[in-house]
């Protein structure tokens, strides 16, 4: 059973930085894409950053140049380095791993569709004050 756990959120002032971590385990199928979504109350879950198995990265326009996604395969850990944070980055951040049916699909195909990912962890809250 896939288990995902996020950590590293917190409260920072605008311009500050945070580094999120995600530990993902229990896979019995191949996974080519992992990423991060975020969500605020009343809004749909939004894709933030994704990384393919080969290392190609994909970012939402709103975070391009400020956020960096990376992974350490030896530790089965996914990271999201967030710099120059803005109040509009305030959200619950979720680590995203694809469901088995989407495991072999690249990020370019599945990133726009939150339903291609799961199970979801509890998320980690990021709050940016102005």
């Amino acid at each position: 059973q896939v288990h995902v756990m996020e950590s590293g959120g917190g409260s920072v002032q605008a311009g500050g930085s945070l580094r999120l971590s995600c530990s993902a385990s229990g896979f019995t199928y191949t996974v080519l894409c992992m990423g991060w979504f975020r969500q605020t109350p009343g809004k749909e879950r939004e894709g933030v950053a994704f990384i393919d198995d080969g290392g190609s990265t994909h970012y939402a326009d709103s975070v391009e140049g400020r956020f960096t996604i990376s992974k350490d395969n030896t530790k089965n850990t996914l990271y999201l380095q967030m710099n120059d944070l803005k109040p509009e980055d305030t959200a619950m951040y979720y680590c995203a791993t694809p469901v088995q049916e989407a495991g072999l699909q690249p990020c370019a195909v599945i990133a726009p569709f939150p339903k291609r990912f799961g199970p979801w962890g509890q998320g980690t809250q990021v709050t940016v004050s102005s």
Side-chain angles (χ1 to χ4, degrees):
Q1 183 176 358
V2 175
H3 180 69
V4 174
M5 184 169 65
E6 305 92 342
S7 62
S11 297
V12 297
Q13 291 189 328
S17 297
L18 285 172
R19 188 194 196 201
L20 307 185
S21 298
C22 167
S23 174
S25 61
F27 294 103
T28 59
Y29 52 92
T30 300
V31 169
L32 298 184
C33 174
M34 295 181 68
W36 293 90
F37 283 80
R38 66 186 180 187
Q39 189 171 25
T40 55
K43 293 189 177 181
E44 294 186 356
R45 201 160 290 190
E46 171 194 25
V48 175
F50 299 86
I51 186 166
D52 283 300
D53 187 58
S56 297
T57 57
H58 311 260
Y59 297 96
D61 290 343
S62 59
V63 307
E64 181 81 51
R66 300 188 296 120
F67 290 12
T68 302
I69 188 171
S70 62
K71 60 180 180 176
D72 185 336
N73 291 327
T74 64
K75 298 181 180 178
N76 292 325
T77 302
L78 183 72
Y79 302 100
L80 185 66
Q81 178 66 43
M82 305 186 296
N83 298 328
D84 190 23
L85 282 161
K86 303 177 180 181
E88 51 264 42
D89 295 318
T90 295
M92 186 71 78
Y93 283 71
Y94 297 91
C95 178
T97 61
V99 298
Q100 185 168 1
E101 294 75 16
L104 292 177
Q105 294 181 311
C107 292
V109 172
I110 63 174
F113 307 107
K115 291 186 177 180
R116 298 292 185 96
F117 297 87
W120 299 94
Q122 292 188 333
T124 186
Q125 177 68 37
V126 171
T127 302
V128 185
S129 58
S130 58

